[in-house]
Amino acid sequence: MKNEQEKQKVLAIINEVGKDPSFLIQVLNAIQEEQGYIPRSVQELVAREMKIPFSRVFEVSSFYSRFTTEPKGKYEISVCLGTACYVKGAQLLLDDLKAMLGIVENQTTPDGLFTLIASRCIGACGIAPAILVNHDVHGFVTREMLPELLDSYRSRKDAGEDEE
Ligand code: FES
């Protein structure tokens, strides 16, 4: 945990949502939303405050892909591995992105720009294979398109454009 202020925020969330162990997922959800990630130190604090074994908090935090232990990148790339996308080569897209970015799923590039996620159906099966970058849906994606796709987001950063 970075500092006392962050700790107080987490404690406030726990108090607001509830300390009963049955609220664990709701508490983790609220922390993820508020802080953007749930590092180990925060998991330990949650375990202490809610009187839950750390192993349980760790298990739940690791099970759901929406919980991350690192800050997310500016652009979250979700490669859909749902059936429609998978049969059209989505795994190859994911593998290429891993190689191009030098990270694996649920990791963020060292420059903080991209986080790579393997996701379930994103509701764009008609344009499979599909990739979601933050709120932008890209359809009929080919391996050849990936360098340009990444560059288009890199150049937004270079140009100082920030739509968020
Ligand atoms: S399976 Fe990929 S968008 Fe539905």
Side-chain angles (χ1 to χ4, degrees):
M1 209 168 330
K2 278 188 219 139
N3 53 38
E4 185 60 27
Q5 200 185 1
E6 196 174 297
K7 182 179 170 185
Q8 290 309 325
K9 273 191 194 162
V10 171
L11 290 175
I13 288 171
I14 295 171
N15 283 327
E16 195 184 314
V17 178
K19 286 190 173 187
D20 189 280
S22 64
F23 292 131
L24 177 59
I25 290 182
Q26 288 95 319
V27 164
L28 293 176
N29 257 329
I31 295 170
Q32 176 73 43
E33 234 165 73
E34 168 80 23
Q35 311 279 71
Y37 67 118
I38 313 173
R40 186 186 170 101
S41 57
V42 169
Q43 293 176 21
E44 287 169 351
L45 180 62
V46 168
R48 259 200 321 274
E49 288 296 309
M50 297 182 78
K51 302 193 179 0
I52 299 173
F54 171 74
S55 58
R56 175 71 186 144
V57 178
F58 178 79
E59 184 185 44
V60 172
S61 309
S62 313
F63 181 78
Y64 294 98
S65 60
R66 65 177 179 274
F67 299 140
T68 56
T69 54
E70 294 176 38
K72 284 195 181 177
K74 183 176 166 83
Y75 299 111
E76 185 175 296
I77 304 175
S78 301
V79 179
C80 176
L81 291 184
T83 308
C85 292
Y86 192 83
V87 298
K88 293 198 173 174
Q91 183 65 53
L92 292 173
L93 299 178
L94 179 62
D95 291 345
D96 278 5
L97 284 168
K98 284 197 237 177
M100 292 165 73
L101 296 171
I103 54 175
V104 297
E105 294 98 319
N106 301 320
Q107 285 188 338
T108 299
T109 51
D111 61 4
L113 204 53
F114 298 110
T115 298
L116 189 59
I117 307 281
S119 83
R120 295 184 184 162
C121 179
I122 56 173
C125 311
I127 55 170
I131 288 180
L132 194 62
V133 184
N134 290 359
H135 300 296
D136 306 337
V137 181
H138 300 272
F140 304 119
V141 180
T142 63
R143 299 173 74 184
E144 293 69 31
M145 288 163 69
L146 294 176
E148 203 175 317
L149 184 79
L150 292 181
D151 281 348
S152 72
Y153 287 95
R154 289 194 181 104
S155 61
R156 285 188 199 193
K157 179 199 167 206
D158 293 345
E161 290 173 32
D162 190 346
E163 77 275 38
E164 290 179 313

